[in-house]
Amino acid sequence: MMMADGGEPVISREENQDKSSAGRLPRVLLIATLHTLSSARLSQALCAVGFEVEAVCARLHPIRYLQAPPRLHRLGYFSELRSIKRAIDLAEPDILVPCDEPAVALLHRLHAREPDSAYSELIERSLGNPAMFEFTRRKSNLMALASSLGLAVPRSLPVSSLRVLPELGKALGYPLVLKRDSTWGGTGVTIVKDASELSNGWSRIAGLTSLLRAAKCAFQSRRIKILIERVASRFSFIEAQSYVAGTPANRTIVCWKGQVLAGFSALALDTWGVVGPASLIKFIDHPQMAKTAELLAGKLGLSGFHGLDFVVTPSGEALLLELNPRATPTSHLAVSADVHLPSALYRAVTRSEPRAIRDAIASEQVALFPDYWQQHLAHGPLPGVYHDVPWDESAILDRLSFTV
């Protein structure tokens, strides 16, 4: 047994080889650069179905406060890529699971730096066809691909500068949605109601306000590199998109070599801010969303966990907005006896049944923790709604200052 930076226990290469020869459990390495609770919940779900889980994350990450945490590897503040390589060398995982967009970007960078290596082979097995990485990384490229496949998407046009926005506003109409590549959680999206708001909207996406938003995100996520990367990527692609009135929705899927193994669709009944992530969802059956996910997964050769964002119009049509090429906050949920994404991944990797399957949620509505509680704690629990709170994880609840 070795000790990682910060004193966390990790498994040595020799111990891994011994376990492998003895028929060890399939091993997953979670990569979490942001301090999100969803990666801790996914760790629990993967472990419950039979995976041996290890994780590379920063100090004070929620996953470290689980009662039964996975084996941990320290993610350096400024040497993230080196930390990930070291974690891969020590853990020798069968599959990697990125838990946020920066983790995906780091894996893409590692694949590009070390092609035809054991690292690149593992990344391809975990994420899918490397020829399609550009489409999963850049929102704008994906929209063009989806449109070419005949999928329903909002009309989009590239934005080169503030000067062209008035003409784009006339072409696409108002409200106008501005989106910036290499962003997440709504931090790179803003809605412009009319021509008088174009200047402020541009500042939120490409100007001083966008830097302040990046600084706030860096502080909240305890990842200073968010601000550094924002400064370095000041010429990132920006697009203007026609606004579609409707309800935000998403399709959460797990794939293996281009095939969707399992998935579920949900409407966002409440969100964190106007363009932020969902905090209250309702499961729905939507064949168009399921078909869109299957077509994209096959075209992109996807593997692992993914989330697709949609907007569902009053007529019921679902327009694709973007693809999140990583585990999303709902990836751990047991929607029904037949729909549990960690179990589906376990079957694909091992060709055997999972060790245990979590009881299905006995409600079609779910309040996601901690987002819903942070927004509506004063109102208390909603009747008839499943509140996805880790009641048995007192250390995590204490750190979030959560009380019943």
Side-chain angles (χ1 to χ4, degrees), residues 138-354:
R138 293 190 59 175
K139 299 178 176 67
S140 51
N141 287 352
L142 180 72
M143 290 297 96
L145 173 65
S147 180
S148 71
L149 295 174
L151 301 176
V153 297
R155 188 182 174 198
S156 301
L157 293 171
V159 183
S160 57
S161 67
L162 174 60
R163 288 178 296 180
V164 305
L165 274 181
E167 290 301 318
L168 295 181
K170 293 178 182 178
L172 298 174
Y174 294 96
L176 186 68
V177 182
L178 299 180
K179 288 188 171 184
R180 182 189 184 96
D181 273 343
S182 303
T183 59
W184 60 90
T187 59
V189 180
T190 192
I191 299 175
V192 178
K193 295 181 180 179
D194 53 48
S196 67
E197 295 186 355
L198 287 176
S199 181
N200 286 339
W202 181 256
S203 178
R204 288 177 63 82
I205 290 297
L208 177 60
T209 308
S210 72
L211 289 174
L212 296 176
R213 295 173 80 188
K216 180 181 178 181
C217 183
F219 174 77
Q220 291 177 335
S221 65
R222 301 181 182 89
R223 184 177 183 263
I224 189 63
K225 290 196 71 176
I226 290 176
L227 182 57
I228 297 173
E229 290 166 352
R230 168 60 187 86
V231 173
S233 64
R234 60 187 181 277
F235 300 117
S236 288
F237 187 88
I238 297 171
E239 67 176 346
Q241 194 174 87
S242 59
Y243 177 81
V244 180
T247 304
N250 58 74
R251 178 80 179 170
T252 305
I253 58 175
V254 65
C255 309
W256 193 249
K257 299 179 180 179
Q259 178 184 357
V260 176
L261 304 174
F264 58 89
S265 301
L267 291 175
L269 303 182
D270 198 4
T271 60
W272 187 265
V274 178
V275 294
S279 57
L280 177 66
I281 63 172
K282 177 182 179 181
F283 299 129
I284 60 170
D285 180 20
H286 202 291
Q288 183 190 4
M289 291 172 63
K291 186 64 175 179
T292 296
E294 291 174 359
L295 285 173
L296 281 179
K299 182 66 176 180
L300 300 175
L302 299 181
S303 286
F305 296 93
H306 299 271
L308 295 90
D309 291 341
F310 295 84
V311 59
V312 178
T313 68
S315 66
E317 183 183 22
L319 278 72
L320 176 68
L321 300 180
E322 64 182 67
L323 167 68
N324 301 300
R326 40 81 181 177
T328 63
T330 57
S331 297
H332 68 285
L333 295 176
V335 179
S336 68
D338 300 322
V339 182
H340 184 229
L341 275 56
S343 295
L345 182 62
Y346 185 87
R347 293 187 185 98
V349 173
T350 67
R351 299 180 183 273
S352 60
E353 285 300 305

Side-chain angles (χ1 to χ4, degrees), residues 64-122:
R64 297 177 178 270
Y65 297 93
L66 292 171
Q67 289 188 18
R71 293 185 177 89
L72 300 171
H73 306 265
R74 173 77 184 281
L75 182 73
Y77 286 110
F78 296 101
S79 56
E80 292 175 329
L81 197 59
R82 189 188 316 151
S83 299
I84 291 172
K85 288 179 63 177
R86 180 173 182 270
I88 291 173
D89 289 341
L90 290 170
E92 294 187 338
D94 299 294
I95 188 170
L96 305 172
V97 174
C99 298
D100 47 63
E101 271 80 356
V104 175
L106 287 164
L107 291 179
H108 286 175
R109 191 183 310 166
L110 177 57
H111 186 278
R113 286 186 180 183
E114 303 203 25
D116 303 319
S117 67
Y119 297 116
S120 63
E121 291 177 6
L122 176 61

